[in-house]
Amino acid sequence: MQEILEALGRRMRELRKKQGTSQEDFAEACGLHRTAVGLLERGKSIPRLDTLLIVSQALGVTVSKLLQGIEQCGKLPSKPAS
């Protein structure tokens, strides 16, 4: 799971930098604290769905585009046997 979070954070940072936006300005545009954005970009926080929607909007991409390729970075935890 950690690999997925780190890959998502790298993707967010890459798209944000491509826009030429500072972390602080991006956080403000998202209505998030700069620390929260930093935690997301370092893979230290698990984003909620509404946060992913806000972030993708601020980046000008769909959530699908934001998550593109992320699933290849690590395996999701197995479901426990029922």
Side-chain angles (χ1 to χ4, degrees), residues 6-7 9 17 26 28 30 33 36-37 42 44 49-53 56 59 65 69 76-77 80-82:
E6 289 172 2
K17 286 187 173 188
F26 181 71
E28 187 174 322
C30 291
H33 193 279
V37 171
R42 290 191 317 275
K44 302 294 184 189
L49 178 57
D50 61 338
T51 302
L52 285 176
L53 290 167
S56 66
L59 292 169
K65 185 79 171 176
L76 292 174
S82 300

Side-chain angles (χ1 to χ4, degrees), residues 29-63:
C30 291
L32 300 171
H33 193 279
R34 189 206 54 78
T35 304
V37 171
L39 289 170
L40 288 169
E41 288 188 353
R42 290 191 317 275
K44 302 294 184 189
S45 177
I46 300 172
R48 297 181 343 188
L49 178 57
D50 61 338
T51 302
L52 285 176
L53 290 167
I54 291 166
V55 165
S56 66
Q57 255 186 340
L59 292 169
V61 298
T62 63
V63 173

